Amino acid sequence: MRIKSIVSESRQIQRAIALIKLGARLQVLESETDLSYERLLRLYKEVQGESPARGMLPFSTDWFMTWQPNIHSSLFLNMYEYLNKTTELEEIDAIIKAYELYIEQTRAQSLEPLLSVTRAWRLVKFVDAGMVTLTPCCKCSGKFVTHTYELTKNYVCGLCEPPARAGKGRGSQRTEEEVLTA
Amino acid sequence: MSNPPVINEQLLQEVREVNLAYLVLAQHMIRADKAQALYRLGVSEEVAAIIDQLTPAQLMKIAASNQLILRFRFDDDVVWNLLTSQSRAKLAPGAAVAGLHANIVMAGQFAESH
C-alpha cells in the first residue's frame, strides 16, 4: 500500500521500531503498518542488528489456556482492556503500552515474562475474532482468559484453584516455557 | 489535653511531603505517557488532565493539608488477602506466579470506580 502522508509514515516507523524493540516478529509489523516488506526488513536489521526469525506464527488459542501462560496472558489482557477503556488509543498503540506495563510488572516480581509481544498481539486478535474472552472468577472476581464458548457460569481461576501439580513442576520456581496442564 | 491545642507539626509536614511527592510524580507520569499513567494512578482522564495543568504554586497549595490527597484504590478483602499472600499457602512455595494474582484482580478494576 502506498503511503501518502509523511507524518503518517513517520508515525508508522516509530510504531514499528517500538514493536521491534519489544521483540515482535516481522508478521506483526507487516500486519500493523503499511510499510513495505523490504523496508520493514531493513528497519528490523537496523534496530536489532540481525535478521528476523523465520517461520510461522503460533496460531492456536490453546497455549493461552495452559496454567502459567494463562496467568501471564490474563495479566496482559487486563492491562490492555484497562488502557482501552480509559483512553482512546489505536489498537496497536494500546498493545504496545499494555505490553510495556506487563513487562514492568513481571520484572517487579522478578518473573520472566512468559508472554512474548507477538503472542500478546495474537491474543488481542483472538479477542477481536471472538474466540477468546476475559471471564471473571467466581471466587476472586479477577478476570482470566478463557475460550468464548466455554461454560463459564461458575468459573474458578487457576490461581484460586491451582491444578494439582501447579508450582511443583521443574522450573516453576523461576518460570520457563513449561506447560503444566493439569 | 484540652487547653492549648496541640498541633503535630511533624505529622503535618510529613503529610504535606507525601502529598507533594505524589502530585509531582503523578504529573511527571501523566506528561511522560498519559495512557499508562491512568493505569498506574487509577484516576480518570478528567482528573489526570487537571493534575497535568497544575502550576508549582498550585501543587504546593494542594499539598498543604492535614489530609492525604490519595487513598487506597481497592478496599475489598480479596485484594488485601492476595497482597498479604494468604492465597499463596495453597500453592507450592515455588509457584512464583501467585504474586501476579493481586495484579490481575487490581488491573481488572477500573470502570466501577467512576
Side-chain angles (χ1 to χ4, degrees):
Chain A
M1 205 191 289
R2 216 164 48 110
I3 299 163
K4 292 178 193 114
S5 149
I6 292 175
V7 174
S8 142
E9 189 187 9
S10 119
R11 196 178 304 133
Q12 299 212 21
I13 291 175
Q14 288 309 319
R15 231 175 240 168
I17 291 173
L19 283 166
I20 294 168
K21 281 189 177 156
L22 291 173
R25 298 276 300 270
L26 212 56
Q27 287 95 325
V28 179
L29 307 174
E30 278 189 274
S31 154
E32 295 299 334
T33 65
D34 298 331
L35 303 169
S36 71
Y37 180 80
E38 287 71 29
R39 298 196 70 192
L40 285 173
L41 201 61
R42 269 178 54 200
L43 190 64
Y44 193 101
K45 285 183 183 162
E46 224 172 285
V47 175
Q48 290 288 52
E50 58 181 27
S51 295
R54 286 161 184 277
M56 304 245 294
L57 292 186
F59 56 86
S60 157
T61 56
D62 293 341
W63 184 85
F64 300 102
M65 307 304 158
T66 51
W67 190 63
Q68 279 210 72
N70 184 258
I71 293 160
H72 283 252
S73 311
S74 300
L75 179 63
F76 165 78
L77 197 55
N78 273 292
M79 289 167 159
Y80 171 79
E81 293 289 335
Y82 195 110
L83 296 186
N84 237 355
K85 299 231 161 103
T86 50
T87 32
E88 303 217 341
L89 288 172
E90 284 191 42
E91 181 175 277
I92 187 62
D93 293 325
I95 293 175
I96 293 171
K97 287 176 195 293
Y99 191 73
E100 288 169 352
L101 289 171
Y102 160 77
I103 293 287
E104 272 177 16
Q105 192 59 50
T106 47
R107 291 271 153 80
Q109 307 251 354
S110 36
L111 290 166
E112 265 324 297
L114 279 187
L115 185 74
S116 69
V117 72
T118 305
R119 275 222 155 92
W121 171 79
R122 231 26 248 225
L123 179 61
V124 171
K125 298 294 163 192
F126 283 139
V127 174
D128 290 347
M131 294 162 76
V132 155
T133 188
L134 281 174
T135 301
C137 166
C138 67
K139 289 201 169 167
C140 69
S141 76
K143 293 177 219 139
F144 290 79
V145 173
T146 62
H147 282 119
T148 305
Y149 299 109
E150 229 167 81
L151 285 174
T152 50
K153 218 172 181 181
N154 296 306
Y155 172 75
V156 179
C157 75
L159 279 166
C160 283
E161 274 177 17
R165 280 190 29 79
K168 294 187 180 116
R170 176 178 54 86
S172 41
Q173 197 74 266
R174 281 266 105 172
T175 63
E176 279 174 17
E177 299 83 336
E178 57 74 68
V179 180
L180 273 183
T181 25
Chain B
M1 289 197 181
S2 54
N3 289 26
V6 179
I7 299 173
N8 193 339
E9 269 306 326
Q10 165 105 27
L11 192 73
L12 280 179
Q13 190 173 342
E14 280 172 20
V15 169
R16 190 161 53 228
E17 273 168 22
V18 170
N19 280 341
L20 193 58
Y22 174 76
L23 284 168
V24 169
L25 177 65
Q27 207 170 51
H28 176 70
M29 290 198 297
I30 292 162
R31 287 172 185 174
D33 189 311
K34 195 161 141 231
Q36 290 183 336
L38 294 185
Y39 174 83
R40 295 182 207 275
L41 295 164
V43 300
S44 67
E45 208 168 359
E46 294 76 37
V47 172
I50 295 167
I51 296 175
D52 185 18
Q53 297 298 317
L54 294 175
T55 64
Q58 284 175 310
L59 292 181
M60 300 290 285
K61 214 171 151 191
I62 298 167
S65 164
N66 65 350
Q67 285 184 308
L68 286 169
I69 54 166
L70 66 157
R71 63 174 171 198
F72 284 109
R73 61 198 288 181
F74 48 85
D75 47 17
D76 51 316
D77 300 349
V78 178
V79 178
W80 277 111
N81 286 340
L82 292 175
L83 284 171
T84 52
S85 71
Q86 301 267 351
S87 69
R88 276 181 225 205
K90 277 194 214 160
L91 287 165
V97 276
L100 297 178
H101 202 172
N103 300 138
I104 292 173
V105 177
M106 281 171 73
Q109 297 176 343
F110 47 92
E112 297 96 294
S113 57
H114 61 268

